Amino acid sequence: MKLSHSLLLLTAALSTCALSLTAFAFSSMSTRVKTPPNIIMIVVDDLGWSDIGYNQTTDLFETPNIDALARQSLQFDNAYAGAANCAPSRAVLMSGQYGPRHGVYTVSPSARGNAKARKLIPIKNQRGLKPDVITLAEALKTAGYATGHFGKWHLGADPDSQGFDINVAGSHQGMTFHYFSPYELPNIQDGPKGEYLTHRLTSEVIDWVRTQKDTPFFAYLPYYTVHTPFQAAADKVKKYHQKGITDEKQATYAAMVELMDSNVGRILTALEAENIAANTLVIFTSDNGGYRMSNFPSPLRAGKGSYYDGGLRVPLLVRWPDHIPSGVNHTPVINADFYPTLLSVANAQRPNQVLDGIDLSSVLLDQQFIESRDLFWHFPVYLQARNAATDQSQDPLFRTRPGSAMRSGSWKLIHYFEDDEYELYDLAKDMAETHNLAAKLPEKLNELKAKLQAWRLKTGADMPTQLNPEYDADINQQLIDELKIHTKFE
């Protein structure tokens, strides 16, 4: 099923029209769910919002298993990652906390890009979650859950020390350099030569689930795919060349998406075979937006690393047969919400730490609306451009310069710190974020500015204020102008 641009605009608009009811308290969950479910959380790395069959704007991607899962699931079409790149988004998910609370803002270092183009000295990045952060896995263990990690951790040296009973392939490492064995990854033995990592991780999950099916389990499957390097079976790549994709990397990317989908199908089939599908809650999502590619247009602006929606909005499917009705929900949600929601469903103890997400169990189980709330992001660091011609960023040198962003109803505000600039967009009418309304709507701008500043004060957000002595305004502008000429930057 493909969504037209008009339908996409309509669903974005509907998100602002929902009535609100308060979510059920944790204590009431036991009256609705007598047996806590198994939980499988699949987090694909760098999968764009439009890069799956049910959301795509072309006929190129083939994801029949995910499309079938979507028909059986509650689809959140306004779901957001906690950050626009890998480590900080995963830190939000695992801690239930916004970035300023744990200090994981980017993939280190924070001073990236040309030093002469960086006006501010960025905030130093925290590499991984500190040991005193109680992770989602640790919290679920209070309800008797077995916990397994399979794939990319990227939040410290070892997930074994942060709540997981078993760890396969998780470490500080943020990517694999070899999708075909030998993998040369920590915490996983190489398989037969040529074995595909995505297939292997899926087999590891299935084998573990079979041993744990008589007790509640939390299987966290953060695939390394579809992150670079783009590597896939030659026959699959050839298939996408034959579909009209001439670019080798983009054909390989499409093949990686299909191979990922096939392995999601293997997991769903295994749940049926083990007779545990009915009591297993399956979550499918991505850690952030994907890279923009010419063969795969998106109605969203920008991609991974950007705080426009192309870098933040992600697919999100939640399935629990006979408990969560299928359909589409337009409520804006963020991956910090997983933590309190899963604790509620599992009847687990809430930890003695701030949780910035909200419990969505009443939305999932009772089809209730939730009270309107704002979503926030903070990025006090620099991330250099990946491809100036396609990034669709504010300028061609950086995907993102230091700033904060928020969504309030259908409104999106971005604040850039270097020159105290603001961008304001109405996503209900402009989901591509092309019309900056900051100068035209001063009342709305001031309203959201006040909310954003109050949030930064509440969370103790680090603000970069120290000027960079290496910065050269003339060189910065010269580099911008040159790239605009050579890359047809718009």
Side-chain angles (χ1 to χ4, degrees):
M1 178 178 69
K2 295 190 288 291
L3 295 176
S4 67
H5 282 205
S6 60
L7 180 55
L8 288 168
L9 289 170
L10 176 61
T11 56
L14 286 172
S15 69
T16 66
C17 300
L19 297 175
S20 301
L21 290 174
T22 304
F24 274 53
F26 275 62
S27 60
S28 70
M29 183 57 60
S30 61
T31 65
R32 294 179 289 149
V33 178
K34 295 181 179 180
T35 304
N38 307 311
I39 302 166
I40 295 182
M41 179 183 287
I42 302 169
V43 179
V44 186
D45 197 351
D46 292 355
L47 179 69
W49 183 80
S50 302
D51 294 352
I52 41 179
Y54 75 90
N55 262 355
Q56 71 175 317
T57 55
T58 73
D59 293 319
L60 293 175
F61 289 114
E62 297 187 16
T63 57
N65 296 291
I66 296 169
D67 295 348
L69 177 64
R71 292 190 292 271
Q72 302 161 5
S73 301
L74 186 59
Q75 305 173 28
F76 288 88
D77 65 353
N78 282 283
Y80 286 87
N85 59 339
C86 307
S89 173
R90 295 159 193 270
V92 173
L93 185 158
M94 269 295 144
S95 68
Q97 298 180 327
Y98 280 128
R101 299 198 193 276
H102 50 68
V104 182
Y105 292 122
T106 189
V107 179
S108 289
S110 57
R112 295 169 66 170
N114 192 318
K116 293 185 180 297
R118 299 194 306 260
K119 188 173 183 178
L120 300 173
I121 294 178
I123 298 299
K124 186 176 180 180
N125 188 53
Q126 169 68 35
R127 301 189 68 171
L129 291 175
K130 295 178 180 178
D132 60 349
V133 174
I134 301 170
T135 68
L136 172 59
E138 290 173 306
L140 286 172
K141 288 182 73 66
T142 67
Y145 274 69
T147 55
H149 176 280
F150 307 87
K152 173 176 169 175
W153 177 238
H154 209 198
L155 293 176
D158 197 332
D160 292 14
S161 65
Q162 291 180 288
F164 287 97
D165 301 328
I166 182 174
N167 167 39
V168 178
S171 69
H172 67 282
Q173 194 162 317
M175 61 182 290
T176 182
F177 295 95
H178 309 283
Y179 276 100
F180 294 98
S181 184
Y183 307 119
E184 300 180 17
L185 275 173
N187 300 317
I188 184 172
Q189 293 185 353
D190 291 331
K193 186 175 182 180
E195 177 188 64
Y196 197 62
L197 180 59
T198 308
H199 191 88
R200 167 66 177 280
L201 291 174
T202 303
S203 297
E204 294 279 358
V205 171
I206 291 172
D207 289 346
W208 183 76
V209 163
R210 285 172 177 153
T211 68
Q212 303 295 327
K213 65 180 181 179
D214 294 327
T215 187
F217 62 77
F218 171 52
Y220 177 47
L221 176 56
Y223 280 127
Y224 281 92
T225 201
V226 290
H227 194 293
T228 55
F230 297 142
Q231 298 173 357
D235 62 329
K236 294 292 185 185
V237 178
K238 181 180 179 181
K239 170 182 175 180
Y240 287 93
H241 281 312
Q242 292 172 340
K243 292 186 74 170
I245 303 176
T246 58
D247 184 273
E248 182 72 15
K249 289 184 178 180
Q250 294 183 38
T252 305
Y253 176 78
M256 293 176 74
V257 171
E258 180 182 340
L259 290 169
M260 176 272 296
D261 174 82
S262 297
N263 280 284
V264 170
R266 290 179 61 210
I267 293 171
L268 301 177
T269 298
L271 294 178
E272 295 288 349
E274 298 299 322
N275 200 31
I276 56 175
N279 197 39
T280 300
L281 190 156
V282 176
I283 298 169
F284 175 88
T285 191
S286 174
D287 65 337
N288 46 248
Y291 291 127
R292 291 195 67 87
M293 300 181 187
S294 58
N295 282 290
F296 314 120
S298 170
L300 306 180
R301 179 174 176 177
K304 176 182 178 178
S306 170
Y307 282 76
Y308 297 111
D309 264 25
L312 291 170
R313 200 185 296 200
V314 293
L316 174 57
L317 306 175
V318 185
R319 186 190 80 171
W320 186 9
D322 300 324
H323 290 83
I324 299 176
S326 60
V328 180
N329 189 291
H330 309 300
T331 307
V333 297
I334 193 166
N335 68 0
D337 298 333
F338 289 141
Y339 198 129
T341 302
L342 294 181
L343 293 195
S344 181
V345 172
N347 287 318
Q349 296 177 17
R350 192 174 178 116
N352 185 25
Q353 71 183 27
V354 173
L355 295 181
D356 290 307
I358 64 170
D359 177 6
L360 297 175
S361 60
S362 64
V363 177
L364 298 174
L365 299 171
D366 302 315
Q367 300 84 62
Q368 292 188 5
F369 297 111
I370 58 172
E371 291 184 356
S372 177
R373 47 82 189 251
D374 301 325
L375 305 179
F376 297 93
W377 299 271
H378 188 60
F379 193 77
V381 298
Y382 286 88
L383 185 61
Q384 77 277 20
R386 177 178 181 269
N387 185 327
T390 60
D391 283 346
Q392 295 186 337
S393 51
Q394 189 193 43
D395 70 66
L397 297 182
F398 295 90
R399 275 176 279 171
T400 300
R401 292 177 185 260
S404 298
M406 67 174 293
R407 174 163 175 168
S408 181
S410 69
W411 294 98
K412 178 81 170 290
L413 180 71
I414 302 176
H415 179 204
Y416 292 104
F417 299 151
E418 286 186 329
D419 298 308
D420 197 29
E421 295 176 280
Y422 288 89
E423 295 180 4
L424 177 66
Y425 302 99
D426 183 357
L427 298 179
K429 299 176 181 177
D430 178 27
M431 69 186 305
E433 295 170 281
T434 56
H435 304 293
N436 180 8
L437 302 174
K440 294 182 179 180
L441 300 174
E443 290 186 6
K444 175 58 69 173
L445 175 64
N446 288 333
E447 173 195 338
L448 298 186
K449 283 171 63 175
K451 286 185 174 184
L452 181 58
Q453 178 61 9
W455 173 80
R456 286 192 295 232
L457 291 173
K458 177 182 177 182
T459 58
D462 299 304
M463 297 294 290
T465 57
Q466 187 176 355
L467 295 177
N468 174 20
E470 295 183 71
Y471 174 71
D472 188 311
D474 292 334
I475 291 179
N476 176 60
Q477 191 59 51
Q478 177 185 338
L479 292 171
I480 289 174
D481 292 341
E482 288 175 354
L483 275 172
K484 284 184 176 181
I485 293 171
H486 295 309
T487 64
K488 297 181 180 179
F489 178 87
E490 296 180 0

